[in-house]
Amino acid sequence: MKPHSPFSRRDLLKYLGSVGIGLAARSHSWSASQPTEPVTFVDVARPAGITFQHDNAASQEKYLIETMGSGCGWIDYDQNGLLDLYLMNGAATRVYSPRQTLRSALYRNNGDGTFTDVTGKAGVGAEGLFGMGVAVGDYDNDGFPDLIVLGYGRCILYHNNGDGTFTDVSARAGVENPGRWASSAAWFDYDNDGRLDLVIANYVDWSPERNFYCGDQGPGMRSYCHPDDFHGQPPTLYHNNGDGTFTDVSKVSGVGLKGGNGLGVVTFDYDNDGWQDIFIANDHMPNFLFHNNRDGSFREVGYAAGVAVSSDGQLEAGMGTDAADATGSGRMDLVVAHLDMQLARFYQNLGDQTFDDATLRSKIGYATYHTSEFGARFMDYENDGARDLFMANGHVLDNIERYHADSHYAEPKLMFRNNGHGIFENVSDRLGPDFVLPRVSRGAAIADFDNDGDLDILVNNNGQAPQLLRNDGGNANHWLEILLVGTKSNRDGVGARVKVSAGNLVLYDQRKGGMSYQSAQDPRLHFGLGPHSNVDAVEILWPSGSVTNLASLKSDRIIAIKEGVGIVERPFPRVPAK
């Protein structure tokens, strides 16, 4: 692991050059300026008609599955240019019988600021599954995104029929992941054959038969057990055969050789070699970074790359994770969320296949020491061109106050504003009262659900109602959103690398898989452009190796770019504010 060292311009310039998408990144003097308009996040879930309530099946037996979920996601299932949302739910257990059958929920975006529950019609309720995560991807390249829901003991793959309904094809496809506790998953094309494969981060081997008593003796003192009380489960990797079926290649690929306490996953190309790698955040054991060998196999390089443990060699409770260029270098940095009394880690990509634990230099450390972060995403919330950092928080123990008076089960969310060079400022208390309401938050999914150019936040709260935090004011600056449509590459364009240039602002991003915690993100790439009303150039390097170049584009719009064609017409209706 690289030792901690102070940040300097000299350090940054030293590593520029091996970046981006075949073009050297160039240094620029631009830095994020203070937002010209105040940004607030307003919870519009109830007014929008979202009546869902997560049921975690809480019981006196303290089943570990009760506290580790649940996820959420965005999916434009009917391809009308409006993002619909999906919320995972719990299920009955041996010791908990709900009043009515629990199910996860699909809400259709009506395009007027409201949503309609269409779960029954769509056939995606996942009844009987104790749900955890969700991942969205068009695995058969038919133009309609499919849905996999992850849970304790099995997974369900819902194939999108293109008519508003889905079919459970789990058994035929061979992706049920039987007997494992699946947490998060990512659709990605690890062999660049134009078809989406699937990696699943599996958690521990808990079962009702191995539900030990943990915590002190006495009324109200029993607690959920620590992951160290159980064996970890290896990740699962499924290869897409191209005929609607998948092959489990976990062991032969090298991904499934070692047990892990996997909770969050992100797939991204950390060394810019054109092949997606896999990062898995493990709970109280070293994180996994699987380097893609470009021959169908991976090697685990977490320690060598400096992202397995903290800079002082400590195991931490890895939960949510994401990757983005947060330092302006053209390389993808990493964030890993952790439990309270630990620091969320910011790993800066040095460009030589290693990362530096830049947590203290980045200034995210102090605020995260007092919270337990699950959902974690880089997002430019005020469109100034710098990737800010959002975290959805809530403790694991519902009786934590009995053990630590300064810790709380329900916690406020965090937003760290990026100055453009990977130095963050905690601005959580400036974003409105809804943003800082304490909740037991787990999954977090970022999207521009109203197509107005700023990023909104969907959070699923454990045992509570979800929140849909609409961004008001973030589009005072200019912006551009890009939907990638692959042809030779997978249709979702996962693995594509994008460079956007506007004046002195040069931005890099990748179409990643996974991200955050148990959640599915907006499939479009979002670029905040600050004062720039025009985009000078967009360059896309597709997984197939083909390149798309566009020049002289107007800002403040959503565009679809098709591989080998360029901009194509797609509707993205603007949703009026309610």
Side-chain angles (χ1 to χ4, degrees):
M1 173 168 293
K2 293 284 181 179
H4 176 71
S5 57
F7 178 88
S8 69
R9 179 177 173 83
R10 179 181 178 183
D11 293 331
L12 179 63
L13 293 175
K14 178 179 178 181
Y15 294 106
L16 293 178
S18 60
V19 300
I21 47 182
L23 297 179
R26 66 177 184 266
S27 161
H28 53 77
S29 59
W30 173 87
S31 293
S33 58
Q34 292 297 322
T36 56
E37 299 290 338
V39 176
T40 58
F41 286 90
V42 179
D43 184 5
V44 297
R46 284 290 176 177
I50 300 170
T51 59
F52 178 87
Q53 176 85 15
H54 180 255
D55 192 329
N56 65 348
S59 73
Q60 295 301 312
E61 294 300 312
K62 299 291 184 179
Y63 281 2
L64 189 55
I65 54 174
E66 298 169 8
T67 193
M68 298 308 294
S70 193
C72 55
W74 296 100
I75 175 173
D76 182 6
Y77 79 98
D78 51 3
Q79 289 295 280
N80 66 351
L82 295 167
L83 287 173
D84 315 297
L85 65 88
Y86 192 83
L87 297 159
M88 295 296 298
N89 210 348
T93 68
R94 294 183 183 182
V95 295
Y96 177 79
S97 298
R99 295 180 180 178
Q100 57 187 20
T101 301
L102 301 181
R103 68 178 188 180
S104 298
L106 175 65
Y107 281 87
R108 184 179 187 273
N109 188 336
N110 298 323
D112 60 359
T114 68
F115 289 78
T116 298
D117 187 337
V118 295
T119 311
K121 178 181 178 181
V124 291
E127 292 88 349
L129 176 71
F130 204 106
M132 293 289 153
V134 56
V136 173
D138 184 3
Y139 74 87
D140 57 355
N141 292 330
D142 68 352
F144 289 92
D146 309 297
L147 184 70
I148 188 163
V149 293
L150 321 166
Y152 173 72
R154 64 188 176 100
C155 299
I156 302 173
L157 177 60
Y158 289 112
H159 176 263
N160 191 332
N161 299 321
D163 59 0
T165 69
F166 292 75
T167 299
D168 180 348
V169 297
S170 314
R172 177 182 180 274
V175 294
E176 291 178 297
N177 200 39
R180 298 183 180 94
W181 176 351
S183 178
S184 300
W187 291 103
F188 76 127
D189 183 3
Y190 75 85
D191 53 359
N192 286 347
D193 66 353
R195 299 186 292 264
L196 288 178
D197 312 298
L198 179 68
V199 62
I200 298 175
N202 296 309
Y203 198 42
V204 298
D205 68 345
W206 175 90
S207 72
E209 294 78 16
R210 293 190 298 279
N211 190 57
F212 314 117
Y213 187 101
C214 296
D216 296 335
Q217 298 292 331
M221 299 302 286
R222 185 172 185 176
S223 298
Y224 296 107
C225 290
H226 193 278
D228 286 354
D229 294 321
F230 309 96
H231 295 294
Q233 296 183 320
T236 307
L237 180 62
Y238 289 109
H239 177 260
N240 190 333
N241 299 322
D243 60 0
T245 69
F246 293 76
T247 299
D248 186 339
V249 295
S250 306
K251 290 186 176 180
V252 68
S253 68
V255 169
L257 296 178
K258 184 167 60 174
N261 299 340
L263 286 178
V265 60
V266 60
T267 63
F268 69 112
D269 182 5
Y270 79 93
D271 55 354
N272 286 325
D273 66 353
W275 299 73
Q276 279 211 316
D277 311 294
I278 306 168
F279 179 81
I280 294 178
N282 283 319
D283 189 358
H284 205 252
M285 66 170 291
N287 302 315
F288 294 149
L289 177 60
F290 293 103
H291 179 269
N292 193 326
N293 295 328
R294 297 181 280 182
D295 60 2
S297 70
F298 294 80
R299 67 181 184 276
E300 205 285 300
V301 298
Y303 271 110
V307 296
V309 294
S310 67
S311 58
D312 54 356
Q314 296 300 307
L315 299 177
E316 294 176 308
M319 297 187 289
T321 186
D322 194 16
D325 176 15
T327 56
S329 69
R331 297 182 291 268
M332 305 295 280
D333 309 302
L334 265 173
V335 65
V336 185
H338 293 129
L339 205 62
D340 67 329
M341 293 186 286
Q342 299 172 358
L343 306 179
R345 293 288 164 184
F346 175 68
Y347 295 105
Q348 183 178 346
N349 190 330
L350 299 180
D352 59 358
Q353 298 196 351
T354 70
F355 293 76
D356 179 27
D357 183 350
T359 302
L360 298 181
R361 184 169 68 241
S362 72
K363 300 185 178 181
I364 69 170
Y366 178 77
T368 64
Y369 183 80
H370 299 283
T371 57
S372 298
E373 314 94 33
F374 278 87
R377 277 298 316 275
F378 288 107
M379 60 177 291
D380 184 356
Y381 77 91
E382 84 277 57
N383 285 347
D384 67 352
R387 305 284 176 183
D388 310 303
L389 180 56
F390 167 78
M391 294 182 178
N393 312 311
H395 208 279
V396 174
L397 303 183
D398 56 356
N399 58 355
I400 185 60
E401 290 90 348
R402 290 177 176 262
Y403 292 93
H404 300 291
D406 294 335
S407 297
H408 303 282
Y409 186 42
E411 298 174 331
K413 295 165 183 62
L414 289 171
M415 183 73 80
F416 295 94
R417 184 175 181 272
N418 188 351
N419 75 345
H421 300 289
I423 310 298
F424 295 87
E425 177 189 7
N426 185 357
V427 296
S428 309
D429 59 357
R430 305 177 197 172
L431 301 179
D434 290 350
F435 187 85
V436 291
L437 282 175
R439 292 290 185 269
V440 187
S441 299
R442 297 294 186 256
I446 308 301
D448 180 10
F449 84 89
D450 47 7
N451 290 338
D452 68 349
D454 52 30
L455 293 176
D456 314 295
I457 305 171
L458 175 67
V459 180
N460 205 2
N461 297 310
N462 185 273
Q464 300 172 331
Q467 294 163 285
L468 177 55
L469 296 169
R470 187 187 65 206
N471 185 329
D472 289 346
N475 55 7
N477 282 322
H478 295 290
W479 54 275
L480 180 71
E481 292 176 19
I482 300 175
L483 176 69
L484 299 175
V485 183
T487 52
K488 293 181 180 179
S489 306
N490 65 85
R491 188 178 178 91
D492 289 352
V494 177
R497 292 176 286 163
V498 180
K499 177 182 176 183
V500 171
S501 302
N504 65 339
L505 185 61
V506 182
L507 303 174
Y508 297 86
D509 203 0
Q510 297 180 10
R511 180 69 163 88
K512 301 168 293 184
M515 297 170 276
S516 188
Y517 179 78
Q518 300 183 347
S519 299
Q521 312 299 316
D522 191 329
R524 302 166 299 190
L525 299 180
H526 173 269
F527 298 90
L529 300 174
H532 302 286
S533 59
N534 293 284
V535 173
D536 299 321
V538 173
E539 182 183 26
I540 303 167
L541 180 56
W542 301 84
S544 67
S546 65
V547 179
T548 298
N549 285 291
L550 301 171
S552 300
L553 304 177
K554 287 289 186 183
S555 303
D556 305 323
R557 58 179 178 150
I558 307 172
I559 58 175
I561 301 178
K562 190 172 185 178
E563 182 180 11
V565 178
I567 297 177
V568 294
E569 286 294 321
R570 289 286 292 269
F572 299 104
R574 178 77 173 264
V575 177
K578 278 282 184 180

PDB file of all heavy atoms in Angstrom, residues 173-189:
ATOM      1  N   ALA A 173     -32.249 -19.365 -17.204  1.00  0.00           N
ATOM      2  CA  ALA A 173     -31.027 -18.602 -17.417  1.00  0.00           C
ATOM      3  C   ALA A 173     -29.869 -19.135 -16.585  1.00  0.00           C
ATOM      4  O   ALA A 173     -28.700 -18.953 -16.950  1.00  0.00           O
ATOM      5  CB  ALA A 173     -31.268 -17.136 -17.083  1.00  0.00           C
ATOM      6  N   GLY A 174     -30.172 -19.764 -15.463  1.00  0.00           N
ATOM      7  CA  GLY A 174     -29.122 -20.329 -14.635  1.00  0.00           C
ATOM      8  C   GLY A 174     -28.417 -19.332 -13.745  1.00  0.00           C
ATOM      9  O   GLY A 174     -27.224 -19.492 -13.451  1.00  0.00           O
ATOM     10  N   VAL A 175     -29.138 -18.311 -13.270  1.00  0.00           N
ATOM     11  CA  VAL A 175     -28.514 -17.280 -12.429  1.00  0.00           C
ATOM     12  C   VAL A 175     -29.188 -17.174 -11.069  1.00  0.00           C
ATOM     13  O   VAL A 175     -29.169 -16.118 -10.440  1.00  0.00           O
ATOM     14  CB  VAL A 175     -28.543 -15.908 -13.136  1.00  0.00           C
ATOM     15  CG1 VAL A 175     -27.667 -15.905 -14.369  1.00  0.00           C
ATOM     16  CG2 VAL A 175     -29.983 -15.493 -13.488  1.00  0.00           C
ATOM     17  N   GLU A 176     -29.730 -18.263 -10.572  1.00  0.00           N
ATOM     18  CA  GLU A 176     -30.447 -18.218  -9.298  1.00  0.00           C
ATOM     19  C   GLU A 176     -29.521 -18.039  -8.103  1.00  0.00           C
ATOM     20  O   GLU A 176     -29.975 -17.665  -7.027  1.00  0.00           O
ATOM     21  CB  GLU A 176     -31.287 -19.487  -9.128  1.00  0.00           C
ATOM     22  CG  GLU A 176     -32.457 -19.568 -10.100  1.00  0.00           C
ATOM     23  CD  GLU A 176     -33.249 -20.852  -9.946  1.00  0.00           C
ATOM     24  OE1 GLU A 176     -32.666 -21.938 -10.176  1.00  0.00           O
ATOM     25  OE2 GLU A 176     -34.435 -20.780  -9.584  1.00  0.00           O
ATOM     26  N   ASN A 177     -28.238 -18.328  -8.284  1.00  0.00           N
ATOM     27  CA  ASN A 177     -27.275 -18.141  -7.181  1.00  0.00           C
ATOM     28  C   ASN A 177     -27.762 -18.861  -5.924  1.00  0.00           C
ATOM     29  O   ASN A 177     -27.794 -18.285  -4.829  1.00  0.00           O
ATOM     30  CB  ASN A 177     -27.092 -16.649  -6.905  1.00  0.00           C
ATOM     31  CG  ASN A 177     -25.817 -16.324  -6.159  1.00  0.00           C
ATOM     32  OD1 ASN A 177     -24.769 -16.909  -6.403  1.00  0.00           O
ATOM     33  ND2 ASN A 177     -25.900 -15.373  -5.240  1.00  0.00           N
ATOM     34  N   PRO A 178     -28.129 -20.145  -6.037  1.00  0.00           N
ATOM     35  CA  PRO A 178     -28.823 -20.840  -4.940  1.00  0.00           C
ATOM     36  C   PRO A 178     -27.945 -21.011  -3.701  1.00  0.00           C
ATOM     37  O   PRO A 178     -26.736 -21.247  -3.791  1.00  0.00           O
ATOM     38  CB  PRO A 178     -29.174 -22.188  -5.558  1.00  0.00           C
ATOM     39  CG  PRO A 178     -28.152 -22.403  -6.630  1.00  0.00           C
ATOM     40  CD  PRO A 178     -27.877 -21.031  -7.180  1.00  0.00           C
ATOM     41  N   GLY A 179     -28.580 -20.881  -2.542  1.00  0.00           N
ATOM     42  CA  GLY A 179     -27.908 -21.143  -1.284  1.00  0.00           C
ATOM     43  C   GLY A 179     -26.990 -20.043  -0.802  1.00  0.00           C
ATOM     44  O   GLY A 179     -26.337 -20.187   0.230  1.00  0.00           O
ATOM     45  N   ARG A 180     -26.926 -18.938  -1.530  1.00  0.00           N
ATOM     46  CA  ARG A 180     -26.053 -17.833  -1.133  1.00  0.00           C
ATOM     47  C   ARG A 180     -26.887 -16.612  -0.742  1.00  0.00           C
ATOM     48  O   ARG A 180     -28.020 -16.450  -1.176  1.00  0.00           O
ATOM     49  CB  ARG A 180     -25.099 -17.466  -2.273  1.00  0.00           C
ATOM     50  CG  ARG A 180     -24.149 -18.581  -2.683  1.00  0.00           C
ATOM     51  CD  ARG A 180     -23.196 -18.096  -3.769  1.00  0.00           C
ATOM     52  NE  ARG A 180     -22.271 -19.120  -4.202  1.00  0.00           N
ATOM     53  CZ  ARG A 180     -22.466 -19.934  -5.239  1.00  0.00           C
ATOM     54  NH1 ARG A 180     -23.566 -19.815  -5.953  1.00  0.00           N
ATOM     55  NH2 ARG A 180     -21.572 -20.840  -5.564  1.00  0.00           N
ATOM     56  N   TRP A 181     -26.272 -15.780   0.047  1.00  0.00           N
ATOM     57  CA  TRP A 181     -26.886 -14.517   0.440  1.00  0.00           C
ATOM     58  C   TRP A 181     -26.300 -13.442  -0.453  1.00  0.00           C
ATOM     59  O   TRP A 181     -25.219 -12.929  -0.215  1.00  0.00           O
ATOM     60  CB  TRP A 181     -26.607 -14.258   1.904  1.00  0.00           C
ATOM     61  CG  TRP A 181     -27.098 -12.950   2.442  1.00  0.00           C
ATOM     62  CD1 TRP A 181     -27.612 -11.894   1.751  1.00  0.00           C
ATOM     63  CD2 TRP A 181     -27.104 -12.540   3.813  1.00  0.00           C
ATOM     64  NE1 TRP A 181     -27.932 -10.859   2.583  1.00  0.00           N
ATOM     65  CE2 TRP A 181     -27.631 -11.227   3.862  1.00  0.00           C
ATOM     66  CE3 TRP A 181     -26.702 -13.162   5.002  1.00  0.00           C
ATOM     67  CZ2 TRP A 181     -27.769 -10.533   5.068  1.00  0.00           C
ATOM     68  CZ3 TRP A 181     -26.841 -12.462   6.191  1.00  0.00           C
ATOM     69  CH2 TRP A 181     -27.374 -11.167   6.217  1.00  0.00           C
ATOM     70  N   ALA A 182     -27.021 -13.111  -1.522  1.00  0.00           N
ATOM     71  CA  ALA A 182     -26.557 -12.103  -2.478  1.00  0.00           C
ATOM     72  C   ALA A 182     -26.888 -10.714  -1.963  1.00  0.00           C
ATOM     73  O   ALA A 182     -28.005 -10.458  -1.508  1.00  0.00           O
ATOM     74  CB  ALA A 182     -27.194 -12.327  -3.840  1.00  0.00           C
ATOM     75  N   SER A 183     -25.920  -9.808  -2.062  1.00  0.00           N
ATOM     76  CA  SER A 183     -26.130  -8.436  -1.598  1.00  0.00           C
ATOM     77  C   SER A 183     -26.269  -7.472  -2.767  1.00  0.00           C
ATOM     78  O   SER A 183     -27.331  -6.913  -3.003  1.00  0.00           O
ATOM     79  CB  SER A 183     -24.977  -8.001  -0.688  1.00  0.00           C
ATOM     80  OG  SER A 183     -25.143  -6.662  -0.275  1.00  0.00           O
ATOM     81  N   SER A 184     -25.181  -7.270  -3.518  1.00  0.00           N
ATOM     82  CA  SER A 184     -25.168  -6.334  -4.649  1.00  0.00           C
ATOM     83  C   SER A 184     -24.683  -7.050  -5.896  1.00  0.00           C
ATOM     84  O   SER A 184     -23.997  -8.069  -5.814  1.00  0.00           O
ATOM     85  CB  SER A 184     -24.244  -5.146  -4.348  1.00  0.00           C
ATOM     86  OG  SER A 184     -24.661  -4.433  -3.202  1.00  0.00           O
ATOM     87  N   ALA A 185     -25.013  -6.496  -7.054  1.00  0.00           N
ATOM     88  CA  ALA A 185     -24.598  -7.099  -8.317  1.00  0.00           C
ATOM     89  C   ALA A 185     -24.305  -6.027  -9.348  1.00  0.00           C
ATOM     90  O   ALA A 185     -24.737  -4.888  -9.223  1.00  0.00           O
ATOM     91  CB  ALA A 185     -25.674  -8.056  -8.850  1.00  0.00           C
ATOM     92  N   ALA A 186     -23.564  -6.421 -10.367  1.00  0.00           N
ATOM     93  CA  ALA A 186     -23.243  -5.517 -11.478  1.00  0.00           C
ATOM     94  C   ALA A 186     -23.349  -6.270 -12.788  1.00  0.00           C
ATOM     95  O   ALA A 186     -22.795  -7.366 -12.941  1.00  0.00           O
ATOM     96  CB  ALA A 186     -21.831  -4.947 -11.313  1.00  0.00           C
ATOM     97  N   TRP A 187     -24.049  -5.669 -13.735  1.00  0.00           N
ATOM     98  CA  TRP A 187     -24.021  -6.128 -15.126  1.00  0.00           C
ATOM     99  C   TRP A 187     -22.830  -5.458 -15.803  1.00  0.00           C
ATOM    100  O   TRP A 187     -22.682  -4.235 -15.738  1.00  0.00           O
ATOM    101  CB  TRP A 187     -25.300  -5.739 -15.853  1.00  0.00           C
ATOM    102  CG  TRP A 187     -26.538  -6.445 -15.403  1.00  0.00           C
ATOM    103  CD1 TRP A 187     -27.518  -5.944 -14.599  1.00  0.00           C
ATOM    104  CD2 TRP A 187     -26.951  -7.773 -15.750  1.00  0.00           C
ATOM    105  NE1 TRP A 187     -28.513  -6.880 -14.425  1.00  0.00           N
ATOM    106  CE2 TRP A 187     -28.191  -8.008 -15.119  1.00  0.00           C
ATOM    107  CE3 TRP A 187     -26.396  -8.788 -16.535  1.00  0.00           C
ATOM    108  CZ2 TRP A 187     -28.885  -9.220 -15.244  1.00  0.00           C
ATOM    109  CZ3 TRP A 187     -27.081  -9.989 -16.659  1.00  0.00           C
ATOM    110  CH2 TRP A 187     -28.312 -10.204 -16.022  1.00  0.00           C
ATOM    111  N   PHE A 188     -21.988  -6.247 -16.456  1.00  0.00           N
ATOM    112  CA  PHE A 188     -20.827  -5.693 -17.151  1.00  0.00           C
ATOM    113  C   PHE A 188     -20.340  -6.726 -18.150  1.00  0.00           C
ATOM    114  O   PHE A 188     -20.659  -7.912 -18.051  1.00  0.00           O
ATOM    115  CB  PHE A 188     -19.723  -5.308 -16.148  1.00  0.00           C
ATOM    116  CG  PHE A 188     -18.938  -6.465 -15.585  1.00  0.00           C
ATOM    117  CD1 PHE A 188     -17.553  -6.465 -15.642  1.00  0.00           C
ATOM    118  CD2 PHE A 188     -19.569  -7.558 -14.984  1.00  0.00           C
ATOM    119  CE1 PHE A 188     -16.820  -7.523 -15.128  1.00  0.00           C
ATOM    120  CE2 PHE A 188     -18.841  -8.615 -14.461  1.00  0.00           C
ATOM    121  CZ  PHE A 188     -17.453  -8.593 -14.534  1.00  0.00           C
ATOM    122  N   ASP A 189     -19.576  -6.278 -19.132  1.00  0.00           N
ATOM    123  CA  ASP A 189     -19.097  -7.164 -20.196  1.00  0.00           C
ATOM    124  C   ASP A 189     -17.600  -7.401 -19.987  1.00  0.00           C
ATOM    125  O   ASP A 189     -16.765  -6.665 -20.501  1.00  0.00           O
ATOM    126  CB  ASP A 189     -19.366  -6.516 -21.557  1.00  0.00           C
ATOM    127  CG  ASP A 189     -18.965  -7.414 -22.717  1.00  0.00           C
ATOM    128  OD1 ASP A 189     -18.537  -8.551 -22.484  1.00  0.00           O
ATOM    129  OD2 ASP A 189     -19.066  -6.941 -23.878  1.00  0.00           O
TER     130      ASP A 189
END
